Amino acid sequence: MIMQVSGADSATPAMAQWFKAKSDYSDALVFFRMGDFYELFFDDAEAASTALDIALTSRGTHRGQPIPMCGVPVSQRDAALARLVRRGFRVAIAEQLEAPETARARGGKAPIDRAVVRLITPGTITEEALLEPGSTRLLLALAAQDNRIGAAWLDASTGLFETASILARDLPSLLGRLDPAEILSPDQIDLTGLADRRSATELPPTATTARHILARSFGVSSIEAFGAFTDEEAIAAAHAVRHIERCHGIAQVRLARPKRPLESGLLTMDAATRASLDLVHDRNGQETGSLLRTVKHTVSAAGARLLAHWIVNPLDDQATLISRQTAWRMLSDHPMLLDELRAVLRGAADLARSLVRLGLAEEDPVARVRPVSPRDLGLVRDALEVAERAAEMLKQLGSASLPAMLTMPAIPTELHAVLRAALVDTPPARSGDAESIRPGFDAELDSERQLRDESRRVVAGMQSAFARQFGVPNLKIRYHAQLGYVIEVPSSAIDTLREFPELLLRQGLASAARFSHPELVALDQRIAEAHGRAAARESWILAMLRHRVVADAERLGAVAETLAGLDVAQSAASLVTGLRWCVPQLTGDAAFEILGGRHPVVEAALPPGQSFIANDADLSPDHRLMLLTGPNMAGKSTFLRQNALIVVLAQAGLPVPADSARIGLVDRLFSRVGAADDLAAGRSTFMVEMIETASILNQAGPRSFVIIDEIGRGTGTRDGLAIAQAVLEALHGTIRCRAIFATHFHDLTVLAEALPRLSLRTMRVKEWRGEIVFLHEVIDGAAARSWGVHVAKLAGVPASVVRRAEFLLRAAERSDRTAQPLPLFDATAGSSAGPDDGSRVIEALAAMDPDQMTPRDALSAIYALRRKFLGVEPANAVDDE
């Protein structure tokens, strides 16, 4: 889309203002307000014209060179900002702070006063048009001290503000959990994978300074009133607050008091685990294909965000989880109430975000930098209406003690009554676009409106009177933006009207002429004054309503949290009532018994009429480690992930896709499934796999849950088998956690005899007429083969290659999988010694002492070497007598 480019004022005073703004915000595009356009100059113009696909032009010169320029109409500002923010730009908005008449009244060529009133960055967005309703954009600030990192994160759109002090090694896990949109961090902190989200800003110099900044921002003498914060936490929190203040100018973002979330009550997952499980978005960064999309039956934006928060932050807190379960179980037991509540909650506005925007609103109707949004006031009114109706419905659950999620806090009914009486049914987004205040609410406003409307009716009467007086039947009175009210007549009547001295010809057109009249001039002034007084009165009323809302922000915030919780509760209840999902039994022991478990995302994606094959998983203490074998495409990875997702759902306090589930609470969840290379960091696929494996072995404990898929496949067979066995033994004997270990190394199945807690499971397949059918069932036992050649055939590998692979496979099987190489190009096999066998034979011979051996011992040793390195059994076995 090509936007029209406006004219630019390249005069020195205005451009001096631009240069000052650009100097202060050198890392941002400067949207410089000039009349009805936001102008961009120099490099900003070139970058914006490309990103927005708008015309690039030039106007005036600077140091002898044309000044590149492009413009965005004020009416299209939000759409342009949304595109720029998505592309990672920071945008500084320089507004006109006074009306043009005020600047002209100062005399001379004084420029309109302008200043940057808003710096838009990815983590500080509050504007409704730039936010995605169901997603959260967090700003994260980090500060390092010794081996600890202070972290503070906030959501500018809702006011959420939390802090933590963590060990440096735990930072990747925190980054994976928060997925911040913007990170304020010194360069020495490694943000591997998220370095593109780093913003360069200056940290507070000392912890004392940081505490003073926080105390001033929250209007307290000491932040210790909110809790005990470490020095690194205080520095990070002050860093975040100062950044918010810089981005929002004189406006104050309504932030909640900083608090620490549960530190010991969270289920910990590292970034690799979160990525492999597709919790809230898939590999392409989209919600489609994620766990969140599958379980989301919320009907409000706030409910969707809270549900995502639960999934991203599963708990290790049995009491809280039981409370969550109780809430949605009570709703599921009352299906009629559930349907009614869901219908009511559809009308729940995003109260938390409206409160923040109203808290930011300025009361200057001239500058109109941040005018009060009537629509936000209407959203508060609508949310209170929903809260009152929901509270009435919840009474149907009886008078017994209800969980916190089903208990509506005190609703400010007086405020609701005022908003309901004051606002029209559908208030406009901006004051002045349409009437916002209902007739009858304010007598003074009604009086000004009546005067304005009566003046307009006078116009119709004057038009008839002038037509008779001047003898021009088709005379019209029209309003012109520059001329005001004028008489418009056809060009044929110009000479007739020239005879009247009170008429003054103002404009001649090809087919008409426009005249002014003293009565019209006076009328125009009266109407303008009445309109201005009505607009000013309406603005005053809106500001008064805003004050009342902001004054009740604490109670409104509690209502907002409860409405979001109710939405999540009804969403969870919908899973139980509409699908075969169950209430998981959560315990404090090491239980893990899933009957009829299913992968929620895969099941939801199946076409109608096709059902998911459910499978049991028993990792009880006596067999806490499962070794899973089976061919490719049989469903091993699906089985692994479905059990991990069941843990996440259960410890998010949600239903799980199973016939029944008994789960001992997990403290850490690890998923090493489907590793890929990291070329930017110079890591091969195998190196990434080993790093993830090391993370598991170093951090997992007895209460952890681990899923591992095909470890060791990225290196040589012997190395891979050795690593896989060593990891399996560590999980069994050292870590002693619940784990599912999928592999194609069938040699590992012999470990079941040596590892008492290891159980063997395999994916069931059926062979029929030379083909195999994947039944996707998990059964006892071990796979006899991998069926890799068959999968290659299914993938479309040319038939000639498949036949050759089958021949080579049979050759390998005939050699009983010894060290003999596979025949090349049908040629006769050469030496059967492997590349490493020579040195191994030498080592074996060096270990022997011929002087201490009998002839019989020497012969036995030779047979043993032939058996070990050539796979040849002796013709006549030597007795061990």
Side-chain angles (χ1 to χ4, degrees), residues 368-673:
R368 296 178 60 80
V369 173
R370 293 181 187 271
V372 177
S373 169
R375 180 162 65 190
D376 278 327
L377 290 171
L379 293 176
V380 174
R381 174 200 61 192
D382 297 343
L384 291 175
E385 178 69 26
V386 169
E388 290 186 356
R389 294 178 62 187
E392 193 64 28
M393 291 178 178
L394 293 176
K395 293 179 181 179
Q396 299 179 35
L397 297 176
S399 58
S401 60
L402 298 176
M405 287 180 62
L406 302 183
T407 304
M408 186 67 67
I411 299 173
T413 53
E414 307 86 355
L415 175 63
H416 182 209
V418 171
L419 294 174
R420 188 166 46 195
L423 298 170
V424 297
D425 292 339
T426 308
R430 290 180 294 272
S431 176
D433 289 353
E435 292 184 355
S436 305
I437 304 303
R438 193 184 297 274
F441 177 74
D442 183 75
E444 184 176 340
L445 176 60
D446 291 342
S447 175
E448 298 295 352
R449 285 176 174 173
Q450 183 178 6
L451 177 60
R452 178 197 64 192
D453 296 338
E454 285 180 353
S455 299
R456 291 173 179 173
R457 285 193 291 271
V458 170
V459 171
M462 292 179 68
Q463 178 173 295
S464 299
F466 284 156
R468 290 192 300 270
Q469 178 181 350
F470 302 130
V472 182
N474 51 357
L475 176 148
K476 303 292 184 183
I477 294 180
R478 301 191 184 281
Y479 181 79
H480 189 273
Q482 281 75 41
L483 305 178
Y485 284 99
V486 294
I487 294 172
E488 185 174 290
V489 297
S491 55
S492 58
I494 293 177
D495 293 338
T496 302
L497 267 63
R498 286 183 187 276
E499 299 177 1
F500 297 92
E502 66 271 28
L503 296 178
L504 176 64
L505 179 63
R506 299 295 305 275
Q507 190 176 43
L509 306 174
S511 60
R514 292 168 178 165
F515 293 83
S516 63
H517 187 280
E519 292 185 25
L520 288 179
V521 172
L523 176 64
D524 187 32
Q525 184 175 356
R526 290 198 305 273
I527 292 178
E529 291 174 352
H531 186 277
R533 288 193 299 269
R537 184 63 182 177
E538 183 169 278
S539 295
W540 182 88
I541 295 172
L542 291 173
M544 178 270 295
L545 295 175
R546 169 193 170 270
H547 274 300
R548 296 197 60 167
V549 168
V550 172
D552 236 331
E554 188 170 346
R555 285 200 295 174
L556 290 171
V559 171
E561 291 179 4
T562 301
L563 290 176
L566 281 175
D567 194 13
V568 174
Q570 71 80 20
S571 175
S574 300
L575 293 172
V576 176
T577 57
L579 301 171
R580 283 193 306 123
W581 291 48
C582 73
V583 182
Q585 180 185 356
L586 302 175
T587 67
D589 54 19
F592 193 91
E593 301 170 17
I594 310 297
L595 297 181
R598 309 182 303 280
H599 192 298
V601 181
V602 175
E603 182 180 40
L606 292 176
Q610 187 172 347
S611 60
F612 187 91
I613 305 300
N615 282 296
D616 301 343
D618 186 357
L619 299 177
S620 299
D622 288 342
H623 34 264
R624 60 175 180 263
L625 179 57
M626 179 190 298
L627 182 62
L628 180 65
T629 57
N632 292 297
M633 299 292 294
K636 296 193 302 297
S637 296
T638 299
F639 180 71
L640 291 173
R641 286 191 174 100
Q642 84 180 34
N643 285 286
L645 292 178
I646 285 174
V647 171
V648 171
L649 288 170
Q651 295 193 213
L654 299 171
V656 300
D659 295 334
S660 68
R662 184 172 182 269
I663 300 173
L665 290 181
V666 173
D667 64 348
R668 287 179 177 268
L669 174 62
F670 296 94
S671 170
R672 207 233 59 78
V673 180

Side-chain angles (χ1 to χ4, degrees), residues 834-848:
D836 299 325
D837 286 352
S839 61
R840 295 171 62 195
V841 170
I842 292 173
E843 292 175 3
L845 290 173
M848 297 178 185

Side-chain angles (χ1 to χ4, degrees), residues 185-197:
S185 167
D187 293 338
Q188 65 264 30
I189 295 180
D190 183 14
L191 300 179
T192 302
L194 295 178
D196 58 328
R197 304 185 191 182

Side-chain angles (χ1 to χ4, degrees), residues 133-134 295-308 310 327-328 331 338 341-350 386 390 394 405-406 408 559-575 654:
V295 303
K296 187 167 72 174
H297 291 266
T298 53
V299 294
S300 70
R305 291 198 302 272
L306 181 59
L307 178 60
W310 282 17
W328 52 259
L331 293 180
L338 177 62
L341 184 62
R342 183 182 301 115
V344 168
L345 290 174
R346 289 185 189 279
D350 201 337
V386 169
L394 293 176
M405 287 180 62
L406 302 183
M408 186 67 67
V559 171
E561 291 179 4
T562 301
L563 290 176
L566 281 175
D567 194 13
V568 174
Q570 71 80 20
S571 175
S574 300
L575 293 172
L654 299 171

